[in-house]
Coordinates of all heavy atoms in Angstrom, one line a residue:
Chain B
Q13 N -12.0 -10.9 -23.0 CA -12.3 -10.7 -24.5 C -13.6 -9.9 -24.6 O -14.5 -10.0 -23.9 CB -12.6 -12.0 -25.2 CG -11.3 -12.9 -25.3 CD -11.6 -14.2 -26.0 OE1 -12.7 -14.6 -26.3 NE2 -10.5 -14.9 -26.4
V14 N -13.6 -8.9 -25.5 CA -14.7 -8.1 -25.9 C -14.9 -8.0 -27.4 O -14.0 -7.5 -28.0 CB -14.5 -6.6 -25.3 CG1 -15.6 -5.7 -25.8 CG2 -14.4 -6.6 -23.9
P15 N -15.9 -8.7 -27.8 CA -16.3 -8.7 -29.3 C -17.2 -7.5 -29.4 O -18.1 -7.3 -28.7 CB -17.0 -10.0 -29.6 CG -17.5 -10.5 -28.2 CD -16.7 -9.7 -27.0
V16 N -17.1 -6.8 -30.6 CA -17.9 -5.6 -30.9 C -17.9 -5.4 -32.3 O -17.0 -5.8 -33.2 CB -17.3 -4.5 -30.1 CG1 -16.0 -4.0 -30.7 CG2 -18.4 -3.3 -30.3
F17 N -19.1 -5.0 -32.9 CA -19.3 -4.7 -34.3 C -18.7 -3.3 -34.7 O -18.6 -2.3 -33.8 CB -20.8 -4.7 -34.6 CG -21.3 -6.0 -34.7 CD1 -22.3 -6.5 -33.7 CD2 -20.9 -7.0 -35.5 CE1 -22.8 -7.7 -33.8 CE2 -21.4 -8.3 -35.5 CZ -22.4 -8.7 -34.6
E18 N -18.1 -3.2 -35.8 CA -17.6 -2.0 -36.3 C -18.5 -0.9 -36.1 O -19.7 -1.0 -36.4 CB -17.2 -2.1 -37.8 CG -16.4 -1.0 -38.3 CD -15.9 -1.3 -39.7 OE1 -16.5 -2.1 -40.5 OE2 -14.9 -0.6 -40.2
E19 N -18.1 0.3 -35.8 CA -18.7 1.5 -35.6 C -19.7 1.5 -34.2 O -20.4 2.6 -33.9 CB -19.7 1.9 -36.7 CG -18.9 2.2 -38.0 CD -19.8 2.6 -39.2 OE1 -20.9 2.7 -38.9 OE2 -19.3 2.7 -40.3
A20 N -19.6 0.5 -33.5 CA -20.3 0.4 -32.2 C -19.3 1.1 -31.0 O -18.1 1.1 -31.3 CB -20.7 -1.0 -31.9
P21 N -20.0 1.5 -30.0 CA -19.1 2.0 -28.9 C -18.6 0.9 -28.1 O -19.1 -0.3 -28.1 CB -20.1 2.8 -28.0 CG -21.4 2.2 -28.3 CD -21.4 1.7 -29.7
V22 N -17.4 1.0 -27.4 CA -16.9 0.0 -26.6 C -16.4 0.6 -25.3 O -16.0 1.7 -25.2 CB -15.7 -0.7 -27.4 CG1 -14.6 0.2 -27.4 CG2 -15.4 -2.0 -26.6
E23 N -16.4 -0.2 -24.2 CA -15.8 0.1 -23.0 C -15.0 -1.0 -22.5 O -15.6 -2.2 -22.3 CB -16.9 0.6 -21.9 CG -16.2 0.9 -20.6 CD -17.3 1.2 -19.5 OE1 -17.9 0.4 -18.9 OE2 -17.5 2.4 -19.2
L24 N -13.7 -0.9 -22.1 CA -12.9 -1.8 -21.6 C -12.7 -1.5 -20.1 O -12.2 -0.4 -19.8 CB -11.6 -1.9 -22.3 CG -11.7 -2.1 -23.8 CD1 -10.4 -2.2 -24.5 CD2 -12.5 -3.3 -24.1
R25 N -13.0 -2.3 -19.2 CA -13.1 -2.1 -17.8 C -11.6 -2.4 -17.0 O -11.1 -3.4 -17.4 CB -14.1 -2.8 -17.1 CG -15.5 -2.3 -17.6 CD -16.6 -3.1 -16.9 NE -16.6 -4.5 -17.2 CZ -17.4 -5.3 -16.6 NH1 -18.1 -5.1 -15.5 NH2 -17.3 -6.6 -17.0
C26 N -11.3 -1.5 -16.1 CA -10.1 -1.7 -15.4 C -10.4 -1.1 -14.0 O -10.8 0.0 -13.8 CB -9.0 -0.9 -16.0 SG -7.4 -0.8 -15.0
N27 N -10.0 -1.9 -13.0 CA -10.1 -1.5 -11.6 C -8.7 -1.7 -11.1 O -8.1 -2.6 -11.4 CB -11.2 -2.3 -10.8 CG -12.5 -1.9 -11.2 OD1 -13.3 -2.3 -12.2 ND2 -13.1 -0.9 -10.4
Y28 N -8.4 -0.9 -10.1 CA -7.1 -1.0 -9.4 C -7.3 -1.0 -7.9 O -8.4 -0.5 -7.3 CB -6.1 0.1 -9.9 CG -6.6 1.5 -9.4 CD1 -6.1 2.0 -8.2 CD2 -7.5 2.2 -10.1 CE1 -6.5 3.3 -7.7 CE2 -7.9 3.5 -9.6 CZ -7.3 3.9 -8.5 OH -7.8 5.1 -8.0
S29 N -6.3 -1.5 -7.2 CA -6.4 -1.4 -5.8 C -5.0 -0.7 -5.3 O -4.0 -1.2 -5.7 CB -6.5 -2.9 -5.2 OG -5.4 -3.6 -5.4
S30 N -5.2 0.2 -4.4 CA -4.0 0.9 -4.0 C -4.3 1.7 -2.8 O -5.5 2.3 -2.7 CB -3.4 1.8 -5.0 OG -2.3 2.6 -4.5
S31 N -3.5 1.9 -1.8 CA -3.7 2.7 -0.7 C -3.1 4.1 -0.7 O -3.3 4.9 0.1 CB -3.1 1.9 0.6 OG -1.6 1.7 0.4
V32 N -2.4 4.3 -1.9 CA -1.9 5.7 -2.1 C -2.3 6.1 -3.5 O -2.9 5.4 -4.3 CB -0.3 5.5 -2.0 CG1 0.1 5.1 -0.7 CG2 0.3 4.6 -3.0
S33 N -1.9 7.4 -3.8 CA -2.2 7.9 -5.1 C -1.4 7.2 -6.2 O -0.4 6.7 -6.0 CB -1.8 9.4 -5.1 OG -2.4 10.1 -4.2
V34 N -2.1 7.1 -7.3 CA -1.4 6.3 -8.4 C -1.4 7.0 -9.7 O -2.0 8.0 -9.8 CB -2.3 4.9 -8.6 CG1 -2.1 4.0 -7.3 CG2 -3.7 5.2 -8.9
Y35 N -0.5 6.4 -10.5 CA -0.6 7.0 -12.0 C -1.1 5.7 -12.8 O -0.8 4.6 -12.5 CB 0.8 7.4 -12.3 CG 1.4 8.5 -11.6 CD1 2.6 8.2 -10.9 CD2 0.8 9.7 -11.5 CE1 3.3 9.3 -10.2 CE2 1.4 10.7 -10.7 CZ 2.6 10.6 -10.2 OH 3.2 11.5 -9.5
L36 N -2.0 6.1 -13.7 CA -2.7 5.0 -14.5 C -2.4 5.1 -16.0 O -2.3 6.2 -16.5 CB -4.1 5.0 -14.1 CG -4.5 4.8 -12.7 CD1 -5.9 5.3 -12.4 CD2 -4.6 3.2 -12.5
F37 N -2.3 4.1 -16.6 CA -2.0 4.0 -18.1 C -2.9 3.1 -18.8 O -3.2 2.0 -18.2 CB -0.6 3.6 -18.2 CG 0.4 4.5 -17.6 CD1 0.7 4.3 -16.2 CD2 1.2 5.5 -18.2 CE1 1.6 5.2 -15.5 CE2 2.1 6.3 -17.6 CZ 2.4 6.1 -16.2
W38 N -3.0 3.2 -20.1 CA -3.5 2.2 -21.0 C -2.6 2.0 -22.0 O -2.1 3.0 -22.7 CB -5.0 2.6 -21.5 CG -6.1 2.2 -20.7 CD1 -6.8 3.0 -19.8 CD2 -6.8 1.0 -20.6 NE1 -7.8 2.3 -19.2 CE2 -7.8 1.0 -19.7 CE3 -6.5 -0.3 -21.2 CZ2 -8.6 0.0 -19.3 CZ3 -7.3 -1.4 -20.9 CH2 -8.4 -1.2 -20.0
Y39 N -2.3 0.8 -22.4 CA -1.4 0.5 -23.5 C -2.1 -0.5 -24.5 O -3.1 -1.2 -24.1 CB -0.1 -0.3 -23.1 CG 0.9 0.5 -22.4 CD1 0.7 1.0 -21.1 CD2 2.0 1.1 -23.0 CE1 1.6 1.7 -20.4 CE2 2.9 1.8 -22.4 CZ 2.7 2.2 -21.1 OH 3.8 3.0 -20.4
V40 N -1.8 -0.3 -25.7 CA -2.3 -1.2 -26.9 C -1.2 -2.1 -27.5 O -0.1 -1.6 -27.7 CB -3.1 -0.4 -27.9 CG1 -2.1 0.6 -28.6 CG2 -3.7 -1.4 -28.9
Q41 N -1.5 -3.3 -27.8 CA -0.6 -4.2 -28.4 C -1.2 -4.8 -29.6 O -2.2 -5.6 -29.5 CB -0.2 -5.3 -27.4 CG 1.0 -6.2 -28.0 CD 1.3 -7.3 -27.1 OE1 0.5 -7.8 -26.3 NE2 2.6 -7.8 -27.2
Y42 N -0.7 -4.4 -30.7 CA -1.1 -4.9 -32.0 C -0.3 -6.3 -32.2 O 0.7 -6.5 -31.7 CB -1.0 -4.0 -33.2 CG -1.8 -2.7 -33.1 CD1 -1.1 -1.5 -32.7 CD2 -3.1 -2.7 -33.3 CE1 -1.8 -0.4 -32.6 CE2 -3.9 -1.5 -33.0 CZ -3.2 -0.4 -32.7 OH -3.9 0.7 -32.4
P43 N -0.9 -7.3 -33.1 CA -0.3 -8.6 -33.2 C 1.2 -8.4 -33.6 O 1.5 -7.7 -34.4 CB -1.1 -9.1 -34.4 CG -2.4 -8.5 -34.2 CD -2.1 -7.0 -33.8
N44 N 1.9 -9.2 -32.9 CA 3.4 -9.4 -33.2 C 4.2 -8.0 -33.0 O 5.2 -7.8 -33.5 CB 3.6 -10.0 -34.6 CG 3.0 -11.3 -34.7 OD1 3.2 -12.2 -33.8 ND2 2.3 -11.5 -35.8
Q45 N 3.7 -7.2 -32.0 CA 4.3 -6.0 -31.8 C 4.5 -5.8 -30.3 O 3.9 -6.4 -29.5 CB 3.6 -4.8 -32.4 CG 3.5 -4.8 -33.9 CD 2.9 -3.5 -34.5 OE1 3.0 -2.5 -33.8 NE2 2.4 -3.6 -35.7
G46 N 5.3 -4.8 -29.9 CA 5.3 -4.4 -28.5 C 4.2 -3.5 -28.2 O 3.3 -3.3 -29.0
L47 N 4.2 -3.0 -26.9 CA 3.0 -2.2 -26.4 C 3.3 -0.8 -26.8 O 4.4 -0.3 -26.7 CB 2.9 -2.5 -24.9 CG 2.2 -3.7 -24.3 CD1 3.0 -4.9 -24.6 CD2 1.9 -3.5 -22.9
Q48 N 2.2 -0.1 -27.0 CA 2.3 1.4 -27.3 C 1.4 2.2 -26.3 O 0.3 1.6 -26.0 CB 1.7 1.7 -28.7 CG 2.5 1.0 -29.8 CD 1.7 1.3 -31.1 OE1 1.2 2.3 -31.4 NE2 1.8 0.3 -32.0
L49 N 1.9 3.2 -25.8 CA 0.9 4.1 -25.0 C -0.3 4.7 -25.6 O -0.2 5.3 -26.7 CB 1.8 5.2 -24.3 CG 1.1 6.1 -23.4 CD1 0.7 5.4 -22.1 CD2 1.9 7.4 -23.1
L50 N -1.5 4.4 -25.0 CA -2.7 5.0 -25.5 C -3.0 6.3 -24.8 O -3.2 7.3 -25.5 CB -3.8 4.0 -25.3 CG -4.4 3.1 -26.4 CD1 -5.6 2.3 -25.9 CD2 -4.7 3.8 -27.6
L51 N -2.9 6.3 -23.4 CA -3.2 7.5 -22.7 C -2.7 7.1 -21.3 O -2.4 6.1 -20.9 CB -4.6 7.8 -22.8 CG -5.7 6.7 -22.4 CD1 -5.8 6.4 -20.9 CD2 -7.0 7.2 -23.0
K52 N -2.6 8.3 -20.5 CA -2.2 8.3 -19.1 C -2.9 9.2 -18.3 O -3.3 10.3 -18.7 CB -0.6 8.5 -19.0 CG -0.2 9.8 -19.4 CD 1.3 9.8 -19.5 CE 1.8 11.3 -20.0 NZ 3.2 11.4 -20.0
Y53 N -3.1 8.8 -16.9 CA -3.7 9.8 -16.0 C -2.5 9.9 -14.9 O -2.2 9.0 -14.3 CB -5.0 9.2 -15.3 CG -5.3 10.1 -14.2 CD1 -5.9 11.3 -14.3 CD2 -5.0 9.8 -12.9 CE1 -6.3 12.1 -13.3 CE2 -5.3 10.5 -11.8 CZ -6.0 11.8 -12.1 OH -6.4 12.6 -11.0
L54 N -2.2 11.3 -14.8 CA -1.2 11.6 -13.8 C -1.9 12.4 -12.7 O -1.6 12.2 -11.6 CB -0.1 12.3 -14.4 CG 0.7 11.6 -15.5 CD1 1.8 12.5 -16.0 CD2 1.2 10.2 -15.1
S55 N -2.5 13.4 -13.1 CA -3.4 14.3 -12.1 C -4.3 15.2 -12.9 O -4.2 15.1 -14.1 CB -2.4 15.1 -11.3 OG -1.7 16.0 -12.1
G56 N -5.0 16.0 -12.1 CA -5.8 17.0 -12.9 C -7.2 16.4 -13.3 O -7.8 15.6 -12.6
S57 N -7.6 16.8 -14.6 CA -8.9 16.4 -15.1 C -9.0 14.8 -15.1 O -8.2 14.2 -15.5 CB -9.1 16.9 -16.5 OG -10.2 16.3 -17.0
T58 N -10.2 14.4 -14.7 CA -10.3 12.9 -14.6 C -10.6 12.3 -15.9 O -10.6 11.0 -16.0 CB -11.4 12.6 -13.6 OG1 -12.7 13.3 -14.0 CG2 -11.0 13.1 -12.2
L59 N -10.9 13.0 -16.9 CA -11.2 12.5 -18.3 C -10.0 12.8 -19.1 O -9.6 13.9 -19.3 CB -12.4 13.2 -19.0 CG -12.8 12.7 -20.3 CD1 -13.2 11.3 -20.2 CD2 -14.0 13.6 -20.8
V60 N -9.4 11.7 -19.5 CA -8.2 11.7 -20.2 C -8.4 11.3 -21.7 O -9.0 10.2 -21.9 CB -7.1 10.9 -19.5 CG1 -5.8 10.9 -20.3 CG2 -6.8 11.2 -18.1
K61 N -7.9 12.1 -22.6 CA -8.0 11.8 -24.0 C -6.7 11.2 -24.5 O -5.6 11.6 -24.2 CB -8.4 13.0 -24.8 CG -9.9 13.4 -24.5 CD -10.3 14.4 -25.4 CE -11.8 14.9 -25.0 NZ -12.8 13.8 -25.1
G62 N -6.8 10.2 -25.4 CA -5.5 9.6 -25.9 C -5.5 9.5 -27.4 O -6.3 10.3 -28.0
I63 N -4.7 8.6 -27.9 CA -4.6 8.6 -29.4 C -5.7 7.7 -30.0 O -6.3 6.9 -29.2 CB -3.1 8.0 -29.8 CG1 -3.0 6.6 -29.2 CG2 -2.1 8.9 -29.4 CD1 -1.8 5.9 -29.8
N64 N -5.9 7.8 -31.3 CA -6.8 6.9 -32.0 C -8.4 7.1 -31.5 O -9.1 6.1 -31.6 CB -6.5 5.5 -31.9 CG -5.1 5.2 -32.5 OD1 -4.6 6.1 -33.3 ND2 -4.5 4.1 -32.3
G65 N -8.7 8.2 -30.9 CA -10.0 8.5 -30.4 C -10.5 7.8 -29.1 O -11.6 7.9 -28.7
F66 N -9.5 7.3 -28.4 CA -9.8 6.7 -27.1 C -9.7 7.6 -26.0 O -9.1 8.6 -26.0 CB -8.8 5.5 -26.8 CG -9.1 4.3 -27.5 CD1 -8.4 4.0 -28.7 CD2 -9.9 3.3 -27.0 CE1 -8.6 2.8 -29.5 CE2 -10.2 2.1 -27.8 CZ -9.5 1.9 -29.0
E67 N -10.6 7.4 -25.0 CA -10.5 8.2 -23.8 C -10.7 7.4 -22.5 O -11.2 6.2 -22.7 CB -11.5 9.4 -23.7 CG -12.9 8.9 -23.9 CD -13.9 10.0 -23.9 OE1 -13.6 11.2 -24.5 OE2 -15.1 9.9 -23.5
A68 N -10.4 7.8 -21.4 CA -10.6 7.0 -20.2 C -11.0 8.0 -19.1 O -10.6 9.2 -19.1 CB -9.3 6.2 -19.8
E69 N -11.7 7.5 -18.1 CA -12.1 8.3 -17.0 C -11.5 7.8 -15.6 O -11.9 6.5 -15.3 CB -13.7 8.4 -17.0 CG -14.1 9.4 -15.8 CD -15.5 9.9 -16.1 OE1 -16.2 9.4 -16.8 OE2 -15.8 11.0 -15.5
F70 N -10.9 8.5 -14.9 CA -10.4 8.1 -13.6 C -11.4 8.4 -12.6 O -12.0 9.5 -12.4 CB -9.2 9.0 -13.3 CG -8.6 8.7 -11.9 CD1 -8.3 7.5 -11.3 CD2 -8.5 9.9 -10.9 CE1 -7.8 7.3 -10.0 CE2 -8.1 9.7 -9.6 CZ -7.7 8.4 -9.3
N71 N -11.9 7.4 -11.9 CA -12.9 7.5 -10.9 C -12.3 7.0 -9.5 O -12.2 5.8 -9.2 CB -14.2 6.7 -11.2 CG -15.3 6.9 -10.2 OD1 -15.1 7.0 -9.0 ND2 -16.5 7.0 -10.8
K72 N -11.9 7.9 -8.7 CA -11.1 7.5 -7.5 C -12.1 6.8 -6.5 O -11.6 5.9 -5.8 CB -10.7 8.9 -6.8 CG -9.7 8.6 -5.6 CD -9.1 9.9 -5.1 CE -8.1 9.5 -3.9 NZ -7.5 10.8 -3.4
S73 N -13.3 7.2 -6.4 CA -14.2 6.5 -5.5 C -14.5 5.1 -5.8 O -14.7 4.2 -4.9 CB -15.5 7.4 -5.3 OG -16.2 7.3 -6.5
Q74 N -14.5 4.8 -7.1 CA -14.7 3.4 -7.5 C -13.4 2.8 -7.9 O -13.4 1.6 -8.4 CB -15.7 3.4 -8.6 CG -17.1 4.0 -8.4 CD -18.1 3.9 -9.5 OE1 -17.8 3.1 -10.5 NE2 -19.3 4.4 -9.4
T75 N -12.3 3.4 -7.7 CA -11.0 2.9 -8.1 C -11.0 2.2 -9.5 O -10.6 1.1 -9.6 CB -10.5 1.9 -7.0 OG1 -11.3 0.7 -6.9 CG2 -10.3 2.6 -5.7
S76 N -11.5 3.0 -10.4 CA -11.6 2.5 -11.8 C -11.0 3.4 -12.8 O -10.8 4.7 -12.5 CB -13.0 2.3 -12.1 OG -13.7 3.5 -12.2
F77 N -10.5 2.8 -13.9 CA -10.0 3.6 -15.0 C -10.4 3.0 -16.2 O -9.6 2.4 -17.0 CB -8.4 3.7 -14.8 CG -7.8 4.7 -15.8 CD1 -8.1 6.1 -15.8 CD2 -6.7 4.2 -16.5 CE1 -7.5 7.0 -16.6 CE2 -6.1 5.2 -17.4 CZ -6.3 6.5 -17.4
H78 N -11.7 3.1 -16.6 CA -12.3 2.4 -17.8 C -11.9 3.2 -19.1 O -11.9 4.4 -19.2 CB -13.8 2.3 -17.7 CG -14.2 1.6 -16.5 ND1 -13.5 0.5 -15.9 CD2 -15.3 1.6 -15.8 CE1 -14.0 0.1 -14.8 NE2 -15.3 0.6 -14.7
L79 N -11.6 2.4 -20.2 CA -11.2 2.9 -21.5 C -12.5 2.9 -22.3 O -13.2 1.9 -22.3 CB -10.1 2.0 -22.1 CG -9.6 2.5 -23.4 CD1 -8.8 3.8 -23.3 CD2 -8.7 1.4 -24.0
R80 N -12.8 4.0 -23.1 CA -14.0 4.1 -24.0 C -13.5 4.6 -25.4 O -12.5 5.4 -25.5 CB -15.0 4.9 -23.3 CG -15.3 4.6 -22.0 CD -16.5 5.6 -21.4 NE -16.9 5.1 -20.2 CZ -16.6 5.7 -19.0 NH1 -15.9 6.8 -19.1 NH2 -17.0 5.3 -17.9
K81 N -14.4 4.1 -26.3 CA -14.3 4.8 -27.7 C -15.7 4.8 -28.2 O -16.3 3.7 -28.2 CB -13.4 3.9 -28.5 CG -13.2 4.7 -30.0 CD -12.0 4.0 -30.7 CE -11.8 4.8 -32.1 NZ -10.6 4.2 -32.8
P82 N -16.2 5.9 -28.7 CA -17.6 6.0 -29.2 C -17.9 5.2 -30.4 O -19.1 4.8 -30.6 CB -17.8 7.5 -29.4 CG -16.5 8.0 -29.5 CD -15.5 7.2 -28.7
S83 N -16.9 5.0 -31.3 CA -17.2 4.3 -32.5 C -15.9 3.6 -32.9 O -14.9 4.2 -33.3 CB -17.6 5.3 -33.7 OG -17.7 4.6 -34.9
V84 N -15.8 2.2 -32.9 CA -14.6 1.5 -33.1 C -14.5 1.1 -34.6 O -15.4 1.1 -35.4 CB -14.5 0.2 -32.2 CG1 -14.4 0.5 -30.8 CG2 -15.7 -0.7 -32.6
H85 N -13.2 1.0 -35.0 CA -12.9 0.4 -36.4 C -12.2 -0.9 -36.3 O -11.8 -1.3 -35.3 CB -11.9 1.5 -37.0 CG -12.3 2.9 -37.0 ND1 -13.4 3.4 -37.9 CD2 -12.0 4.0 -36.3 CE1 -13.5 4.6 -37.7 NE2 -12.7 5.1 -36.8
I86 N -12.4 -1.5 -37.5 CA -11.6 -2.8 -37.6 C -10.2 -2.8 -37.1 O -9.6 -3.7 -36.4 CB -11.6 -3.4 -39.0 CG1 -13.0 -3.5 -39.5 CG2 -10.9 -4.7 -39.1 CD1 -13.8 -4.7 -39.0
S87 N -9.5 -1.7 -37.4 CA -8.1 -1.5 -37.0 C -7.8 -1.4 -35.6 O -6.7 -1.5 -35.1 CB -7.6 -0.3 -37.7 OG -8.2 0.8 -37.4
D88 N -8.9 -1.2 -34.7 CA -8.8 -1.2 -33.3 C -8.7 -2.7 -32.7 O -8.4 -2.7 -31.4 CB -9.9 -0.5 -32.7 CG -10.0 1.0 -33.1 OD1 -9.0 1.5 -33.0 OD2 -11.1 1.5 -33.3

Side-chain angles (χ1 to χ4, degrees):
Chain B
Q13 293 184 347
V14 174
V16 64
F17 290 112
E18 191 175 20
E19 297 183 5
V22 70
E23 177 180 81
L24 306 183
R25 298 180 293 169
C26 173
N27 285 89
Y28 68 93
S29 62
S30 175
S31 58
V32 298
S33 296
V34 296
Y35 300 123
L36 294 156
F37 304 79
W38 274 99
Y39 285 81
V40 60
Q41 183 182 30
Y42 298 105
N44 299 314
Q45 294 186 25
L47 282 70
Q48 303 172 34
L49 180 70
L50 264 182
L51 49 81
K52 60 183 178 182
Y53 171 78
L54 304 181
S55 64
S57 174
T58 57
L59 184 62
V60 180
K61 293 190 184 297
I63 61 172
N64 300 339
F66 284 93
E67 63 182 31
E69 185 159 18
F70 171 61
N71 188 319
K72 188 174 182 179
S73 63
Q74 297 186 7
T75 61
S76 67
F77 190 55
H78 301 333
L79 182 69
R80 301 186 181 99
K81 186 170 182 177
S83 176
V84 294
H85 302 290
I86 299 287
S87 59
D88 292 323

